[in-house]
Amino acid sequence: MATFFGEVVSVFSRAVEEDDEEELDEDEEDAQIRRELEEKRQVHLNWSPAVCDALKTGDKLTCSHFILAVGHNASRFLSVYVLASEKWDAVGRASVWNERSQPGSGEQSCVFYRHRDEPSVLICQLTCYVAEDQQFQWAEKVLDCLQHRELHVTVLSDSSVADYKSAEYLGGNSAPFLRSLHTTTFNGPPVCPALEQPNILTGLPAAVLNHCQVHRIPAVVYQCFTDVIGTDSVTMETYKPALVNLGPSIKLDHCPSSDALRKIVRTRDPQSNLYI
C-alpha cells in the first residue's frame, strides 16, 4: 500500500492474525485431546504383589504354557473343564478402555490364572473387547512379561460360522467345528484341519500369533466356528481336543457337574437353535 508521501508499507490485518492464533489454539487443543485419548486407550496390566516383585527385579515369568481364551465360549470352557479343579490362583488382570469396553463393566474382563502346583502354566480368560489399535499393544505387553525360552502359546477363539468362507455348502449339523493356524516353529500334533484359504485370522488372536511368529515362539490358534449366539455347551466341548496334549498340568474334567454347567451355559434346542 502506498502512502501520500510515496512510502510503501505492508498491509496489516488484525483479523488475519487473530484467525491464525485461533487456529493455533485449536491445533494445540486437538493435540492435547489426542494425547489424553491415547493415554486412556493404553493397555494396563495389574499383577499380584508376588508377580510384581518378580517383574520389578528385571526377571520375566517362567512360563512353559500360556493358554489364552478369547470369547465367552472359549473362556467358559476353561472355567468348567480346567479351572474348576481349584488348583488355580488369580495372579493378574488386564484392563482396556475403548468404545465398547470400560474397566469394571459387568462380565467384560481379562483375568490371568496360574497353576498352584505348576506355576509355569498360565491361563488368561478374555471376554472384553480389545480394539484394533490396542491388539498388538496387548500382545506385546503380555508376552513381554513371559520368558520366551521353552514357551508354548495356545489360543482358543470364538467365531461365528457366518464368517467362515467355503466353496462347499455347510449343513445345519456341521457347526460347531474347529480350525487351526500356527507359527512356523510350532510342531505339535494336529488336532483339527488347518484354516483354509481365503479365510483369515483377525482380532487379538491374529495379533498374538503375529507376535509369536516374529519372536519365533511356538504358537497355535484354534478357532471355533459356531452357529449359536451366546454361551453354548456343545460349542464349549468342541475345544476339548485343543488341550488334550498339553501335559499333565492341564487336566480336563471330562465329566463336569451339571450344576457347574447350569450356572454358565444354556441348553441348545436342536430343532430351532433357540435357548431353553
Side-chain angles (χ1 to χ4, degrees):
M1 181 179 69
T3 67
F4 178 77
F5 298 102
E7 296 177 278
V8 178
V9 297
S10 60
V11 178
F12 173 77
S13 173
R14 177 174 294 178
V16 172
E17 187 176 84
E18 289 177 350
D19 287 344
D20 290 342
E21 290 179 353
E22 289 178 1
E23 290 179 2
L24 184 61
D25 291 340
E26 290 177 359
D27 290 342
E28 291 178 353
E29 185 177 351
D30 290 344
Q32 178 64 24
I33 292 174
R34 283 194 297 270
R35 285 193 295 269
E36 292 177 357
L37 189 58
E38 289 175 359
E39 174 62 28
K40 197 171 185 179
R41 294 177 73 90
Q42 289 289 311
V43 176
H44 297 282
L45 299 180
N46 303 298
W47 297 104
S48 66
V51 173
C52 282
D53 291 342
L55 293 174
K56 284 179 181 178
T57 60
D59 295 333
K60 295 187 177 183
L61 300 180
T62 301
C63 188
S64 59
H65 286 97
F66 175 55
I67 303 170
L68 169 63
V70 182
H72 288 282
N73 275 301
S75 295
R76 290 178 177 177
F77 161 73
L78 292 181
S79 293
V80 173
Y81 290 93
V82 180
L83 296 175
S85 66
E86 297 182 355
K87 290 186 177 181
W88 300 84
D89 296 319
V91 294
R93 183 180 299 270
S95 59
V96 296
W97 183 96
N98 53 55
E99 57 276 11
R100 288 171 51 185
S101 179
Q102 286 80 41
S105 57
E107 297 181 355
Q108 305 297 312
S109 65
C110 176
V111 183
F112 298 90
Y113 297 90
R114 189 161 61 175
H115 198 278
R116 197 171 298 164
D117 300 329
E118 295 286 344
S120 64
V121 179
L122 195 68
I123 280 179
C124 176
Q125 289 180 302
L126 189 146
T127 56
C128 60
Y129 173 73
V130 181
E132 186 175 353
D133 62 309
Q134 299 171 318
Q135 292 163 4
F136 287 98
Q137 181 191 157
W138 189 100
E140 182 177 26
K141 284 192 172 183
V142 171
L143 293 174
D144 279 356
C145 291
L146 310 179
Q147 288 186 6
H148 291 179
R149 185 181 180 183
E150 299 182 356
L151 172 64
H152 294 77
V153 176
T154 301
V155 181
L156 311 179
S157 176
D158 296 347
S159 186
S160 170
V161 73
D163 298 328
Y164 183 75
K165 301 176 179 64
S166 174
E168 300 177 359
Y169 171 73
L170 294 177
N173 296 324
S174 60
F177 56 89
L178 213 57
R179 292 293 184 269
S180 66
L181 199 64
H182 59 76
T183 61
T184 54
T185 53
F186 176 81
N187 56 6
V191 299
C192 68
L195 185 66
E196 308 92 334
Q197 293 182 347
N199 294 286
I200 60 173
L201 202 62
T202 60
L204 185 62
V208 171
L209 195 68
N210 181 75
H211 184 93
C212 291
Q213 176 68 21
V214 171
H215 294 274
R216 301 187 59 79
I217 301 171
V220 58
V221 175
Y222 294 106
Q223 191 97 6
C224 182
F225 293 91
T226 180
D227 59 347
V228 175
I229 299 174
T231 309
D232 170 60
S233 59
V234 178
T235 301
M236 287 168 49
E237 290 181 357
T238 307
Y239 284 113
K240 280 185 177 181
L243 301 187
V244 168
N245 298 312
L246 290 189
S249 57
I250 306 297
K251 294 182 179 179
L252 294 179
D253 184 357
H254 293 281
C255 298
S257 67
S258 57
D259 290 339
L261 285 171
R262 194 179 298 113
K263 287 179 181 178
I264 61 175
V265 302
R266 297 177 180 178
T267 306
R268 174 187 289 202
D269 181 353
Q271 300 298 323
S272 63
N273 278 350
L274 296 176
Y275 296 122
I276 58 175

